[in-house]
Amino acid sequence: MTLEPFGARLRHAMDTRGPLCVGIDPHASLLTSWGLNDDIAGLERFTRTVVEALADRVAVLKPQSAFFERFGSRGIAVLEKAVEEARAAGALVLMDAKRGDIGSTMGAYAATYLDQDSPLFSDAVTVSPYLGFGSLRPALDAAAVSGAGVFVLALTSNPEGAEVQRATAADGRSLAQLMLDHMAAENAGAAPLGSVGAVVGATLGDTGADLAINGPLLAPGIGAQGATPADLPAVFGDAVGNVVPSVSRGVLRHGPDASGLREAAERFADEVRVAVSGS
């Protein structure tokens, strides 16, 4: 069954649950700070705690696939269960996998995350466009069929990203702006929000880019990376209402107590609402 388009589902989730994405990033140091071993049992306990604490109240949960993949097939099994249980509790699941390839390989990635028959089917997935935006076509088409979304790397918060993303294309646009313009074309006519989103770091300050893509803007960097919800209007300007701020350590460091996780997520969501509304 084809779902309602991701953009519409995300808009509803943000309006009812608050505009916040919480990352699930079970890296070794965080497991240790929770008093857990860096093994499959620790991974499973950590992930289950986050899902049970937050999946019934935040708009988006974003598991980082790499932290599960490092445990092999057992880690992927934990990830599959987390995706299923988070979606069952009402959270949208954004798989942070940053996949990017060409042809049949990109098609296989699309089948992994964007086919409803896949055990890793997610509401959306992150992808890299720097083999050319056209290389993403299998993922874009699969998402359209299933009602899922795709978040495309545009202006990332890591300093190294600028050497590619801010390079100049033949027509004078930055490569990031070229990608953003492709996203806007994909979202043309969609309402209330397109299903092709951009990843734009909240730590960047004035991006100098046109972010009016009629789609969601995933904004990593809130919390431990130094950005705050109050920074969002300066970075995103008139598009700030479509921003999905992403927080990981800023929330997760308040575990393993479930109430601590919930309180931190609610606090960030409230701060984002104030920053976006201006009141």
Side-chain angles (χ1 to χ4, degrees):
M1 180 180 66
T2 301
L3 298 168
E4 184 182 16
F6 173 74
R9 293 189 289 124
L10 177 61
R11 180 79 273 164
H12 176 73
M14 292 169 65
D15 290 345
T16 57
R17 293 184 168 208
L20 187 68
C21 168
V22 177
I24 305 178
D25 297 358
H27 50 76
S29 61
L30 192 52
L31 293 178
T32 299
S33 73
W34 278 35
L36 301 172
N37 292 328
D38 185 25
D39 56 19
I40 196 66
L43 176 74
E44 187 170 20
R45 176 69 177 273
F46 176 93
T47 305
R48 184 174 66 249
T49 299
V50 175
V51 170
E52 290 179 351
L54 300 178
D56 65 345
R57 62 195 64 216
V58 302
V60 183
L61 285 176
K62 181 175 68 66
Q64 168 49 257
S65 182
F67 291 119
F68 296 85
E69 293 173 32
R70 70 192 182 101
F71 290 101
S73 60
R74 295 179 299 165
I76 296 299
V78 173
L79 180 58
E80 290 177 4
K81 185 175 182 181
V83 170
E84 178 184 9
E85 293 183 350
R87 297 188 73 237
L92 298 176
V93 172
L94 167 56
M95 184 65 69
D96 195 357
K98 299 184 179 69
R99 301 304 192 221
D101 216 306
I102 59 173
S104 59
T105 308
M106 194 66 213
Y109 284 138
T112 301
Y113 303 110
L114 301 171
D115 185 327
Q116 290 190 54
D117 290 331
S118 169
L120 282 172
F121 172 71
S122 303
D123 295 285
V125 64
T126 57
V127 295
S128 173
Y130 291 105
L131 285 172
F133 193 85
S135 68
L136 303 180
R137 182 52 54 191
L140 296 169
D141 290 347
V145 168
S146 64
V150 175
F151 281 87
V152 183
L153 301 181
L155 286 161
T156 56
S157 56
N158 62 305
E160 303 88 350
E163 68 184 52
V164 174
Q165 297 156 16
R166 295 188 184 273
T168 303
D171 62 3
R173 287 178 290 177
S174 70
L175 292 184
Q177 187 62 62
L178 180 61
M179 298 304 157
L180 288 162
D181 291 346
H182 280 302
M183 296 175 224
E186 294 291 325
N187 289 328
L193 194 65
S195 296
V196 179
V199 180
V200 178
T203 58
L204 295 177
D206 184 358
T207 65
D210 181 1
L211 301 177
I213 64 168
N214 190 34
L217 301 165
L218 182 70
I222 301 290
Q225 292 184 47
T228 70
D231 296 322
L232 296 174
V235 178
F236 294 95
D238 292 342
V240 72
N242 293 336
V243 170
V244 188
S246 179
V247 182
S248 295
R249 283 171 289 175
V251 170
L252 300 178
R253 66 184 178 86
H254 293 280
D257 181 64
S259 63
L261 295 170
R262 294 185 185 115
E263 289 170 4
E266 289 170 4
R267 183 171 62 254
F268 274 111
D270 288 342
E271 291 176 2
V272 171
R273 286 190 191 97
V274 171
V276 169
S277 66
S279 60

